[in-house]
PDB file of all heavy atoms in Angstrom:
ATOM      1  N   SER A  98       5.868  11.484  -9.275  1.00  0.00           N
ATOM      2  CA  SER A  98       5.426  12.688  -9.989  1.00  0.00           C
ATOM      3  C   SER A  98       4.163  13.267  -9.364  1.00  0.00           C
ATOM      4  O   SER A  98       4.052  14.477  -9.159  1.00  0.00           O
ATOM      5  CB  SER A  98       5.175  12.366 -11.459  1.00  0.00           C
ATOM      6  OG  SER A  98       6.346  11.925 -12.080  1.00  0.00           O
ATOM      7  N   VAL A  99       3.212  12.402  -9.066  1.00  0.00           N
ATOM      8  CA  VAL A  99       1.951  12.860  -8.468  1.00  0.00           C
ATOM      9  C   VAL A  99       2.204  13.433  -7.071  1.00  0.00           C
ATOM     10  O   VAL A  99       1.667  14.492  -6.724  1.00  0.00           O
ATOM     11  CB  VAL A  99       0.919  11.712  -8.432  1.00  0.00           C
ATOM     12  CG1 VAL A  99      -0.284  12.065  -7.579  1.00  0.00           C
ATOM     13  CG2 VAL A  99       0.484  11.360  -9.841  1.00  0.00           C
ATOM     14  N   THR A 100       3.029  12.765  -6.283  1.00  0.00           N
ATOM     15  CA  THR A 100       3.310  13.248  -4.926  1.00  0.00           C
ATOM     16  C   THR A 100       4.018  14.599  -4.963  1.00  0.00           C
ATOM     17  O   THR A 100       3.616  15.533  -4.258  1.00  0.00           O
ATOM     18  CB  THR A 100       4.172  12.224  -4.154  1.00  0.00           C
ATOM     19  OG1 THR A 100       3.495  10.969  -4.127  1.00  0.00           O
ATOM     20  CG2 THR A 100       4.427  12.687  -2.734  1.00  0.00           C
ATOM     21  N   LEU A 101       5.061  14.723  -5.777  1.00  0.00           N
ATOM     22  CA  LEU A 101       5.779  15.994  -5.865  1.00  0.00           C
ATOM     23  C   LEU A 101       4.891  17.087  -6.448  1.00  0.00           C
ATOM     24  O   LEU A 101       4.876  18.217  -5.952  1.00  0.00           O
ATOM     25  CB  LEU A 101       7.054  15.845  -6.697  1.00  0.00           C
ATOM     26  CG  LEU A 101       7.910  17.100  -6.830  1.00  0.00           C
ATOM     27  CD1 LEU A 101       8.368  17.595  -5.463  1.00  0.00           C
ATOM     28  CD2 LEU A 101       9.112  16.831  -7.725  1.00  0.00           C
ATOM     29  N   GLY A 102       4.140  16.764  -7.472  1.00  0.00           N
ATOM     30  CA  GLY A 102       3.223  17.747  -8.053  1.00  0.00           C
ATOM     31  C   GLY A 102       2.186  18.215  -7.047  1.00  0.00           C
ATOM     32  O   GLY A 102       1.862  19.401  -6.968  1.00  0.00           O
ATOM     33  N   PHE A 103       1.661  17.298  -6.240  1.00  0.00           N
ATOM     34  CA  PHE A 103       0.699  17.649  -5.197  1.00  0.00           C
ATOM     35  C   PHE A 103       1.328  18.604  -4.176  1.00  0.00           C
ATOM     36  O   PHE A 103       0.732  19.614  -3.816  1.00  0.00           O
ATOM     37  CB  PHE A 103       0.204  16.375  -4.497  1.00  0.00           C
ATOM     38  CG  PHE A 103      -0.670  16.657  -3.309  1.00  0.00           C
ATOM     39  CD1 PHE A 103      -2.005  16.968  -3.479  1.00  0.00           C
ATOM     40  CD2 PHE A 103      -0.146  16.616  -2.027  1.00  0.00           C
ATOM     41  CE1 PHE A 103      -2.811  17.234  -2.379  1.00  0.00           C
ATOM     42  CE2 PHE A 103      -0.942  16.880  -0.930  1.00  0.00           C
ATOM     43  CZ  PHE A 103      -2.282  17.193  -1.100  1.00  0.00           C
ATOM     44  N   LEU A 104       2.532  18.273  -3.717  1.00  0.00           N
ATOM     45  CA  LEU A 104       3.194  19.141  -2.731  1.00  0.00           C
ATOM     46  C   LEU A 104       3.466  20.532  -3.304  1.00  0.00           C
ATOM     47  O   LEU A 104       3.301  21.538  -2.609  1.00  0.00           O
ATOM     48  CB  LEU A 104       4.497  18.499  -2.256  1.00  0.00           C
ATOM     49  CG  LEU A 104       4.352  17.248  -1.391  1.00  0.00           C
ATOM     50  CD1 LEU A 104       5.713  16.625  -1.116  1.00  0.00           C
ATOM     51  CD2 LEU A 104       3.638  17.563  -0.097  1.00  0.00           C
ATOM     52  N   LYS A 105       3.888  20.597  -4.559  1.00  0.00           N
ATOM     53  CA  LYS A 105       4.170  21.891  -5.176  1.00  0.00           C
ATOM     54  C   LYS A 105       2.889  22.664  -5.500  1.00  0.00           C
ATOM     55  O   LYS A 105       2.840  23.878  -5.342  1.00  0.00           O
ATOM     56  CB  LYS A 105       5.000  21.720  -6.459  1.00  0.00           C
ATOM     57  CG  LYS A 105       6.388  21.182  -6.221  1.00  0.00           C
ATOM     58  CD  LYS A 105       7.230  22.170  -5.464  1.00  0.00           C
ATOM     59  CE  LYS A 105       8.666  21.680  -5.365  1.00  0.00           C
ATOM     60  NZ  LYS A 105       9.494  22.595  -4.587  1.00  0.00           N
ATOM     61  N   ASP A 106       1.821  21.977  -5.939  1.00  0.00           N
ATOM     62  CA  ASP A 106       0.565  22.648  -6.270  1.00  0.00           C
ATOM     63  C   ASP A 106      -0.133  23.223  -5.043  1.00  0.00           C
ATOM     64  O   ASP A 106      -0.824  24.217  -5.133  1.00  0.00           O
ATOM     65  CB  ASP A 106      -0.396  21.685  -6.977  1.00  0.00           C
ATOM     66  CG  ASP A 106      -0.187  21.663  -8.471  1.00  0.00           C
ATOM     67  OD1 ASP A 106       0.469  22.576  -8.997  1.00  0.00           O
ATOM     68  OD2 ASP A 106      -0.675  20.714  -9.117  1.00  0.00           O
ATOM     69  N   HIS A 107       0.015  22.571  -3.918  1.00  0.00           N
ATOM     70  CA  HIS A 107      -0.657  23.026  -2.702  1.00  0.00           C
ATOM     71  C   HIS A 107       0.203  24.000  -1.904  1.00  0.00           C
ATOM     72  O   HIS A 107      -0.022  24.206  -0.722  1.00  0.00           O
ATOM     73  CB  HIS A 107      -1.096  21.830  -1.859  1.00  0.00           C
ATOM     74  CG  HIS A 107      -2.272  21.147  -2.467  1.00  0.00           C
ATOM     75  ND1 HIS A 107      -2.152  20.255  -3.515  1.00  0.00           N
ATOM     76  CD2 HIS A 107      -3.587  21.262  -2.214  1.00  0.00           C
ATOM     77  CE1 HIS A 107      -3.347  19.838  -3.855  1.00  0.00           C
ATOM     78  NE2 HIS A 107      -4.242  20.426  -3.085  1.00  0.00           N
ATOM     79  N   ASN A 108       1.177  24.569  -2.560  1.00  0.00           N
ATOM     80  CA  ASN A 108       1.988  25.648  -2.017  1.00  0.00           C
ATOM     81  C   ASN A 108       2.632  25.298  -0.674  1.00  0.00           C
ATOM     82  O   ASN A 108       2.677  26.116   0.230  1.00  0.00           O
ATOM     83  CB  ASN A 108       1.148  26.922  -1.886  1.00  0.00           C
ATOM     84  CG  ASN A 108       2.002  28.151  -1.816  1.00  0.00           C
ATOM     85  OD1 ASN A 108       3.174  28.131  -2.186  1.00  0.00           O
ATOM     86  ND2 ASN A 108       1.420  29.239  -1.357  1.00  0.00           N
ATOM     87  N   PHE A 109       3.113  24.076  -0.546  1.00  0.00           N
ATOM     88  CA  PHE A 109       3.814  23.716   0.678  1.00  0.00           C
ATOM     89  C   PHE A 109       5.189  24.387   0.697  1.00  0.00           C
ATOM     90  O   PHE A 109       5.629  24.849   1.720  1.00  0.00           O
ATOM     91  CB  PHE A 109       3.955  22.197   0.807  1.00  0.00           C
ATOM     92  CG  PHE A 109       2.664  21.528   1.164  1.00  0.00           C
ATOM     93  CD1 PHE A 109       1.942  20.841   0.209  1.00  0.00           C
ATOM     94  CD2 PHE A 109       2.166  21.599   2.435  1.00  0.00           C
ATOM     95  CE1 PHE A 109       0.755  20.229   0.527  1.00  0.00           C
ATOM     96  CE2 PHE A 109       0.971  20.990   2.770  1.00  0.00           C
ATOM     97  CZ  PHE A 109       0.262  20.302   1.813  1.00  0.00           C
ATOM     98  N   HIS A 110       5.854  24.428  -0.447  1.00  0.00           N
ATOM     99  CA  HIS A 110       7.155  25.092  -0.593  1.00  0.00           C
ATOM    100  C   HIS A 110       8.045  24.896   0.632  1.00  0.00           C
ATOM    101  O   HIS A 110       8.580  25.853   1.189  1.00  0.00           O
ATOM    102  CB  HIS A 110       6.995  26.584  -0.893  1.00  0.00           C
ATOM    103  CG  HIS A 110       6.265  26.838  -2.165  1.00  0.00           C
ATOM    104  ND1 HIS A 110       6.764  26.480  -3.397  1.00  0.00           N
ATOM    105  CD2 HIS A 110       5.052  27.385  -2.397  1.00  0.00           C
ATOM    106  CE1 HIS A 110       5.900  26.815  -4.335  1.00  0.00           C
ATOM    107  NE2 HIS A 110       4.856  27.357  -3.759  1.00  0.00           N
ATOM    108  N   LEU A 111       8.175  23.689   1.060  1.00  0.00           N
ATOM    109  CA  LEU A 111       9.020  23.402   2.213  1.00  0.00           C
ATOM    110  C   LEU A 111      10.481  23.507   1.806  1.00  0.00           C
ATOM    111  O   LEU A 111      10.897  22.967   0.792  1.00  0.00           O
ATOM    112  CB  LEU A 111       8.725  21.991   2.730  1.00  0.00           C
ATOM    113  CG  LEU A 111       7.283  21.748   3.168  1.00  0.00           C
ATOM    114  CD1 LEU A 111       7.094  20.278   3.495  1.00  0.00           C
ATOM    115  CD2 LEU A 111       6.930  22.608   4.345  1.00  0.00           C
ATOM    116  N   ALA A 112      11.251  24.235   2.591  1.00  0.00           N
ATOM    117  CA  ALA A 112      12.672  24.382   2.300  1.00  0.00           C
ATOM    118  C   ALA A 112      13.437  24.541   3.602  1.00  0.00           C
ATOM    119  O   ALA A 112      12.908  25.025   4.601  1.00  0.00           O
ATOM    120  CB  ALA A 112      12.920  25.582   1.398  1.00  0.00           C
ATOM    121  N   LEU A 113      14.664  24.116   3.585  1.00  0.00           N
ATOM    122  CA  LEU A 113      15.568  24.255   4.719  1.00  0.00           C
ATOM    123  C   LEU A 113      16.801  24.961   4.198  1.00  0.00           C
ATOM    124  O   LEU A 113      17.460  24.473   3.284  1.00  0.00           O
ATOM    125  CB  LEU A 113      15.933  22.868   5.279  1.00  0.00           C
ATOM    126  CG  LEU A 113      16.966  22.829   6.381  1.00  0.00           C
ATOM    127  CD1 LEU A 113      16.437  23.521   7.627  1.00  0.00           C
ATOM    128  CD2 LEU A 113      17.328  21.391   6.701  1.00  0.00           C
ATOM    129  N   SER A 114      17.102  26.111   4.753  1.00  0.00           N
ATOM    130  CA  SER A 114      18.236  26.888   4.265  1.00  0.00           C
ATOM    131  C   SER A 114      19.519  26.391   4.907  1.00  0.00           C
ATOM    132  O   SER A 114      19.663  26.394   6.114  1.00  0.00           O
ATOM    133  CB  SER A 114      18.034  28.368   4.578  1.00  0.00           C
ATOM    134  OG  SER A 114      19.108  29.111   4.053  1.00  0.00           O
TER     135      SER A 114
END
Side-chain angles (χ1 to χ4, degrees):
S98 298
V99 169
T100 303
L101 182 60
F103 174 81
L104 291 174
K105 294 293 186 182
D106 272 344
H107 286 80
N108 201 18
F109 286 104
H110 299 295
L111 300 173
L113 175 65
S114 182

